């Protein structure tokens, strides 16, 4: 028991004594990027609690103000469906790709995360793999709260946790990013599906 408390205290001391990276040097997530995404979505609807697994691809183009997430969803290992979340400057869309249904939502402001972004609040730092540092930031936007963990050296996304409400349904979304690359090789992820012309 004492050993576990010692590890906890050392972890807390490291987290409290570290400061956000790049205090003098500005580093940003690439202006355009693509990544593989895996994660979970939890929501409560009609008195039931649901947790599903997601696997897909995410991309962002901050100059154009767009973010896309194309995902396949699985519940208890069984395929449930494919969905597209697309945020543009004028609207957000949540599309059921298989059933061709679309929900149009208000847009969310899309900004390129940088080490000096005033909308990000630094929370803590973690040593990853014993050699690299990551930094955790938080962003509150109305009823939505997002926590980002980003590699310190290149500001590449590692993970994102979002607490928000979509269509009156509270959701917790946890995403892990991998193979993040600069640039967009497949811009079709930003195409608004024809059945979304609502």
């Amino acid at each position: 028991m004492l050993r576990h408390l010692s590890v906890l205290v050392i972890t807390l001391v490291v987290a409290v004594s570290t400061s956000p990276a790049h205090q003098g040097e500005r580093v940003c997530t690439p202006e355009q990027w693509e990544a593989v995404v895996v994660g979970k979505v939890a929501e409560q609807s009609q008195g039931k609690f649901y947790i599903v697994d997601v696997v897909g691809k995410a991309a962002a183009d901050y100059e154009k103000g767009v973010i896309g997430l194309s995902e396949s969803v699985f519940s208890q290992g069984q395929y449930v469906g494919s969905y597209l979340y697309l945020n543009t400057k004028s609207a957000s869309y949540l599309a059921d790709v298989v059933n061709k249904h679309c929900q149009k939502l208000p847009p969310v402001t899309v900004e390129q995360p940088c080490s000096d972004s005033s909308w990000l609040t630094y929370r803590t730092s973690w040593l990853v793999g014993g050699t690299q540092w990551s930094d955790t930031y938080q962003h509150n936007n109305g009823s939505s709260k997002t926590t980002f963990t980003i590699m310190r050296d290149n500001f590449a996304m590692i993970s994102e946790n979002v607490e928000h409400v979509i269509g009156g349904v509270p959701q917790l979304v946890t995403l892990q990013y991998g193979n993040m690359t600069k640039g967009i090789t497949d811009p079709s992820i930003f195409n608004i599906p024809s059945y979304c012309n609502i």
Side-chain angles (χ1 to χ4, degrees):
M1 177 70 163
L2 183 59
R3 182 171 169 236
H4 294 295
L5 287 175
S6 298
V7 171
L8 177 62
V9 169
I10 290 169
T11 302
L12 289 174
V13 168
V14 169
V16 169
S17 66
T18 56
S19 60
H22 311 293
Q23 290 180 351
E25 175 188 348
R26 184 173 201 256
V27 179
C28 298
T29 299
E31 189 169 356
Q32 296 179 327
W33 59 263
E34 293 176 328
V36 173
V37 177
V38 296
K40 293 190 178 294
V41 177
E43 66 180 44
Q44 185 174 359
S45 179
Q46 300 176 353
K48 294 183 179 179
F49 193 70
Y50 302 94
I51 298 176
V52 295
D53 296 302
V54 298
V55 177
K57 176 182 172 183
D61 185 332
Y62 296 112
E63 183 179 340
K64 294 180 180 175
V66 294
I67 291 180
L69 172 62
S70 175
E71 62 188 10
S72 294
V73 178
F74 300 86
S75 177
Q76 299 179 352
Q78 299 296 314
Y79 174 77
V80 174
S82 295
Y83 300 89
L84 172 68
Y85 173 75
L86 178 62
N87 187 79
T88 68
K89 289 181 179 179
S90 59
S92 290
Y93 301 91
L94 183 57
D96 178 337
V97 177
V98 175
N99 296 310
K100 309 249 187 272
H101 294 146
C102 190
Q103 184 178 7
K104 187 175 181 179
L105 306 164
V108 176
T109 303
V110 176
E111 294 182 54
Q112 182 180 17
C114 295
S115 56
D116 62 352
S117 295
S118 61
W119 54 276
L120 289 177
T121 303
Y122 169 78
R123 290 296 178 210
T124 191
S125 296
W126 303 98
L127 191 57
V128 179
T131 59
Q132 295 183 309
W133 283 94
S134 68
D135 296 310
T136 300
Y137 295 86
Q138 186 173 324
H139 171 59
N140 295 326
N141 185 11
S143 64
S144 177
K145 180 173 106 176
T146 305
T147 304
F148 302 96
T149 300
I150 299 171
M151 291 304 298
R152 182 177 288 182
D153 62 347
N154 61 4
F155 228 66
M157 300 275 278
I158 299 172
S159 67
E160 180 177 11
N161 297 311
V162 182
E163 299 173 42
H164 61 177
V165 176
I166 291 185
V169 177
Q171 284 189 339
L172 173 62
V173 180
T174 301
L175 301 174
Q176 303 293 320
Y177 293 85
N179 297 331
M180 180 181 263
T181 57
K182 290 182 181 181
I184 304 295
T185 58
D186 182 9
S188 68
I189 194 169
F190 302 129
N191 293 346
I192 300 170
S194 59
Y195 52 89
C196 282
N197 292 329
I198 316 172

